[in-house]
Amino acid sequence: MFRVTTMRRAISEGVAIFVVGRLVAMVPASFWPFWLFPLVLVGRVGLFILPPVWATMRVKSTKREKMSRRFWRLGPLLAGWCMLADALIALAIGEATLFGGPASAPDITRFTASGDAHLSPVAFVASVTLRFVIYAVYYTIAVVCTRLANGGFLRFTMPAGKGRVTL
């Protein structure tokens, strides 16, 4: 029952998980109780890792399909949608610090700021492009590994003959 959705819906669910992770990152560290903060950091890492794995596991496929073109395209496609959502969040709310909370003002207001707070549109596009490349590589690796692990690529039969054993 888990793998019963379309590629489009799986991508939208993956982007939603990514957006939740970005919004949790915008909450300041002082908001969380001290005993809960380490779990929040682990949860943020999980929300960063989960989108490609979730999207891959949710897609409906045939029994014999291992790695088709649509799964090879899923990683970069999901990375593109996540980077679009990330750019919109950065423009509207701002970037997050490592431990949580906004690093500065929203990026759209930093375009017109002066001094150290200034952000040029070229620097913004370069930053988003670099993150897209990093996410596309990671998401593609995660999709391929998840798909191969779900398809049973570690199974093999030995020895040949009457006493076969499947491992």
Side-chain angles (χ1 to χ4, degrees), residues 1-14 51-63 65-66 68-75 77-78 143 146-147 150-151:
M1 293 277 305
F2 185 69
R3 289 189 198 129
V4 293
T5 190
T6 62
M7 185 72 78
R8 180 178 290 158
R9 179 171 174 144
I11 289 172
S12 66
E13 289 174 359
V53 176
W54 179 269
T56 305
M57 291 179 65
R58 289 281 290 153
V59 173
K60 181 179 178 182
S61 62
T62 63
K63 274 188 170 182
E65 179 184 30
K66 296 254 188 233
S68 62
R69 288 183 185 161
R70 66 189 188 133
F71 284 107
W72 282 104
R73 285 190 303 255
L74 177 61
L77 187 62
L78 184 61
V143 165
T146 302
R147 186 67 194 141
N150 286 334

Side-chain angles (χ1 to χ4, degrees), residues 24-43:
V24 168
M26 293 302 292
V27 177
S30 60
F31 174 79
W32 307 105
F34 73 94
W35 56 270
L36 185 63
F37 185 66
L39 297 176
V40 171
L41 291 177
V42 170

Side-chain angles (χ1 to χ4, degrees), residues 78-99:
L78 184 61
W81 283 107
C82 287
M83 279 297 89
L84 179 64
D86 189 32
L88 292 174
I89 290 171
L91 287 171
I93 301 173
E95 298 286 341
T97 61
L98 180 62
F99 290 111

Side-chain angles (χ1 to χ4, degrees), residues 108-132:
I108 198 146
T109 60
R110 293 180 59 203
F111 290 148
T112 58
S114 61
D116 289 340
H118 178 68
L119 177 68
S120 70
V122 174
F124 177 77
V125 170
S127 170
V128 169
T129 304
L130 176 65
R131 281 185 285 166
F132 169 72

Side-chain angles (χ1 to χ4, degrees), residues 125-153:
V125 170
S127 170
V128 169
T129 304
L130 176 65
R131 281 185 285 166
F132 169 72
V133 169
I134 292 169
Y135 279 33
V137 168
Y138 165 67
Y139 281 16
T140 302
I141 291 170
V143 165
V144 168
C145 289
T146 302
R147 186 67 194 141
L148 290 176
N150 286 334
F153 77 107

